[in-house]
Amino acid sequence: MSISDFTADRRTFFKVAGLGILGAAAAGSLVGCGTRQELVVSSADSVKLPAFVKAEGLAADLAGTAEGVPAAFFNYPKNPVRTVSTPPLKGETFSAITNIFGPPPNGRDKNPAWQEIESRLGGKLDISAVSSDDFTAKINTTIAGNDVPDMLLDNGYSIPDIIGFLQAKCQDLTPFLSGDAIKDYPNLAAIPELYWRQTVRDGKIYFIPIPRGGAGGLGFYNGNRFAEVGVSDTSKIKNADEYLSVMKELTNAKANRWAFGSSGFGLSVFQQLFGVPNVWREENGKLTYFAETDEFLEAIQFVQKAAAAGYIVPGSEAWTKSQMVNAFTNGQVAQIYDGLPAYFKSDGYGVTVPGSAPFVPFAAAGGKPTAWLDNVVFGRTMFKKNDEASIKKLLGIANLLAAPFGSEEYLLVNYGVEGTDYTLDGNGNPLATADALANTTVPWKYIAAPSPVLYLPQQEQVIRTTHKAYSALIPMGVENPTATLFSPTFAKKGSTMRQGIMDTAISYIAGRKSFDDVKASVESWRTGGGDKARSEYEKALGA
């Protein structure tokens, strides 16, 4: 059964009275709605998801798989099709806030690509593009100031009381997208159900998904430096002890060379190597949080050991994203943690760091390795409450931005205007001009996007390397068993409670706190709402 053929087999909708009071009276509330609302424990099966209407197929050079490995293309199709013939707007201006990675683009007045996209839209979209390092602070300041734009990115962790915000300020999109209603937006309808299952909260469709490749991966390594110490394939490392020896050989502090360095110690890498659950582990309907497992404790003990031995750049746990990128690109560190999409772009690690490759895992204790299926979506876009006509126009914007690979709009959104931002090579591939970067980094793809494919002009080796990595990671992938479920408690407090554990773990690794402090933070998680969230999720699982 393919991803696109997947159909719901459960309908779960548990009403739980008195699970929360949202509004000004609630401590720490951001939304100020001031009313008591009934929250529901639910799953993605609580609502009829959007119908799937497959886009016209293209023959891939490297096939995708039913499990989720993206299809790969070495060349852009010639004579691309136009998918949106009538602009969705009629002169209106809407607003959006989303992430941006890297330097800001040229503004609208000096950006032909931006102007052409808005010409296709028939109106304007004022975008507040916020650095990923600053996004959490900015989105919460925006919400607190009650200056909510029409479209907002939810990156999954920046808004502590996301359900309160959704209920108070955001549009229920269910009537517009559920079932056959989505067929009014064909490009959105071409996004498989796998991704739409990530958009249900509180029994309603509240988001547009921003699809990604399934596995975020375990970061990247400098293959040239690893080869110098005898490692040509990271999956062949036998166990944690051998890995520690490799880290030792990769480190020469006097030469400003270390084995590893990443923001927050890159703990995702080590958790996956040690088989830590992808958020939760489900066994016979019972859930265990990742931090409650022996594997989690073993993972952070390993990182503490590596840090104490000097194999991790001192202070790198506090690096910004740009500091981490620079450390890898200049050779200071041989391995970092970043998501696979950061490898696969024109200025990504695969292009800019010769010999770099995605880190394919081994099992720390020997045996079968695992990887998290933690990148099904980059994030989700929510809409501010609005009148029906405006919501339909906003969905029209999303529909154009979600035009699939092989279309005119995909070429425009990702590569800009022909002649200004790119020229075509003999195979129809867009080759960037000197002006391209400043024009094409407007974060349209962090507002809406189509199903992912692997395509990078004239970078066949990067395409093959990335496809090979996905082909290894996806089959060993471990799902989060609660990813398509909804717990009111976890929605309101989950990110804050998790952060308490992770902050303590990082402080322990850095030598500022004890191992007992880590255990105590897990107990605080349980009593502070973790056990309640577990109970709610287990009810949804049991339906």
Side-chain angles (χ1 to χ4, degrees):
M1 180 170 63
S2 71
I3 291 171
S4 60
D5 290 332
F6 183 82
T7 54
D9 59 1
R10 299 200 313 252
R11 292 290 180 266
T12 308
F13 196 84
F14 288 92
K15 293 189 175 180
V16 180
L19 285 178
I21 299 176
L22 306 177
S29 173
L30 295 172
V31 298
C33 54
T35 59
R36 184 181 181 91
Q37 305 214 13
E38 181 184 45
L39 306 183
V40 295
V41 175
S42 60
S43 79
D45 301 329
S46 304
V47 63
K48 187 173 184 179
L49 293 169
F52 174 66
V53 182
K54 187 176 181 180
E56 184 176 345
L58 297 170
D61 292 293
L62 300 174
T65 69
E67 290 76 23
V69 176
F73 297 84
F74 299 150
N75 295 296
Y76 203 84
K78 295 183 178 180
N79 303 314
V81 298
R82 186 165 184 167
T83 66
V84 178
S85 57
T86 302
L89 307 183
K90 295 182 178 180
E92 299 89 351
T93 297
F94 291 100
S95 58
I97 183 171
T98 191
N99 252 343
I100 192 170
F101 300 88
N106 287 335
R108 176 189 286 116
D109 293 345
K110 298 180 179 180
N111 193 323
W114 192 329
Q115 293 169 17
E116 178 60 22
I117 289 173
E118 290 190 330
S119 174
R120 299 285 185 105
L121 291 174
K124 293 182 178 181
L125 186 65
D126 291 335
I127 302 174
S128 178
V130 183
S131 162
S132 58
D133 291 331
D134 301 326
F135 186 76
T136 295
K138 177 63 175 179
I139 192 73
N140 284 294
T141 300
T142 299
I143 292 171
N146 202 31
D147 185 24
V148 179
D150 297 298
M151 308 173 85
L152 308 88
L153 173 70
D154 171 34
N155 60 10
Y157 56 86
S158 287
I159 303 175
D161 183 11
I162 182 63
I163 185 57
F165 178 64
L166 291 173
Q167 289 184 332
K169 299 294 184 181
C170 296
Q171 183 70 42
D172 173 12
L173 298 175
T174 310
F176 302 89
L177 299 175
S178 179
D180 288 343
I182 199 173
K183 293 180 180 179
D184 288 340
Y185 314 98
N187 292 332
L188 295 179
I191 297 174
E193 185 179 289
L194 169 72
Y195 303 105
W196 287 106
R197 292 179 68 81
Q198 305 285 327
T199 67
V200 178
R201 298 292 183 272
D202 197 27
K204 304 176 182 68
I205 300 171
Y206 268 114
F207 305 96
I208 299 296
I210 303 173
R212 285 297 182 266
L218 291 87
F220 318 114
Y221 69 102
N222 186 317
N224 296 331
R225 288 190 58 192
F226 269 70
E228 290 173 359
V229 299
V231 178
S232 59
D233 182 346
T234 56
S235 70
K236 302 303 182 184
I237 296 173
K238 293 179 182 178
N239 51 39
D241 289 340
E242 183 173 304
Y243 182 40
L244 199 65
S245 297
V246 170
M247 295 180 80
K248 180 180 180 179
E249 292 187 68
L250 288 166
T251 299
N252 183 346
K254 291 182 180 179
N256 197 34
R257 294 290 185 267
W258 282 268
F260 194 92
S262 274
S263 311
F265 288 115
L267 289 183
S268 178
V269 174
F270 305 100
Q271 291 182 77
Q272 292 181 74
L273 292 177
F274 277 81
V276 176
N278 183 1
V279 188
W280 295 90
R281 174 178 291 153
E282 186 269 327
E283 295 175 306
N284 299 318
K286 300 297 181 183
L287 291 169
T288 303
Y289 196 49
F290 78 95
E292 299 176 293
T293 65
D294 292 339
E295 292 91 339
F296 174 72
L297 298 178
E298 291 166 0
I300 64 169
Q301 284 179 307
F302 176 88
V303 183
Q304 189 277 334
K305 186 175 182 179
Y311 308 151
I312 299 174
V313 183
S316 59
E317 72 276 11
W319 277 351
T320 64
K321 174 72 176 287
S322 59
Q323 287 175 307
M324 182 183 72
V325 171
N326 290 338
F328 189 65
T329 55
N330 68 23
Q332 183 183 12
V333 295
Q335 183 185 350
I336 61 167
Y337 173 71
D338 202 346
L340 262 175
Y343 183 82
F344 192 81
K345 56 182 182 178
S346 59
D347 60 344
Y349 302 109
V351 175
T352 61
V353 184
S356 66
F359 192 99
V360 177
F362 59 93
K368 183 179 179 181
T370 60
W372 291 344
L373 296 179
D374 58 350
N375 196 37
V376 177
V377 294
F378 164 80
R380 309 158 187 84
T381 295
M382 44 198 166
F383 296 178
K384 181 179 71 174
K385 286 183 178 178
N386 217 321
D387 59 86
E388 180 178 345
S390 294
I391 295 299
K392 288 182 176 180
K393 292 178 185 295
L394 290 167
L395 287 169
I397 294 174
N399 182 66
L400 187 144
L401 298 180
F405 178 81
S407 67
E408 284 186 15
E409 294 91 348
Y410 184 99
L411 199 57
L412 172 62
V413 167
N414 289 278
Y415 298 99
V417 175
E418 184 178 1
T420 300
D421 300 310
Y422 68 86
T423 58
L424 294 175
D425 69 8
N427 293 317
N429 294 304
L431 303 182
T433 67
D435 295 327
L437 184 61
N439 292 332
T440 59
T441 51
V442 180
W444 306 106
K445 63 184 178 181
Y446 301 133
I447 296 171
S451 299
V453 299
L454 298 177
Y455 170 72
L456 201 58
Q458 295 189 342
Q459 294 291 341
E460 181 175 333
Q461 187 54 54
V462 175
I463 295 171
R464 289 186 180 277
T465 299
T466 308
H467 189 270
K468 181 179 179 181
Y470 276 117
S471 297
L473 293 168
I474 296 294
M476 66 176 69
V478 176
E479 296 183 59
N480 170 8
T482 70
T484 61
L485 307 177
F486 175 73
S487 153
T489 301
F490 202 79
K492 289 179 63 178
K493 304 170 68 174
S495 61
T496 302
M497 293 189 300
R498 177 188 180 278
Q499 195 60 48
I501 295 173
M502 300 310 291
D503 287 347
T504 306
I506 289 169
S507 293
Y508 159 68
I509 294 166
R512 297 187 295 269
K513 289 194 175 182
S514 71
F515 192 59
D516 285 340
D517 289 329
V518 177
K519 293 179 179 179
S521 73
V522 177
E523 185 59 35
S524 295
W525 172 88
R526 291 186 183 117
T527 58
D531 283 342
K532 187 174 184 180
R534 186 200 325 273
S535 176
E536 292 167 2
Y537 275 137
E538 288 176 350
K539 286 181 179 179
L541 278 169

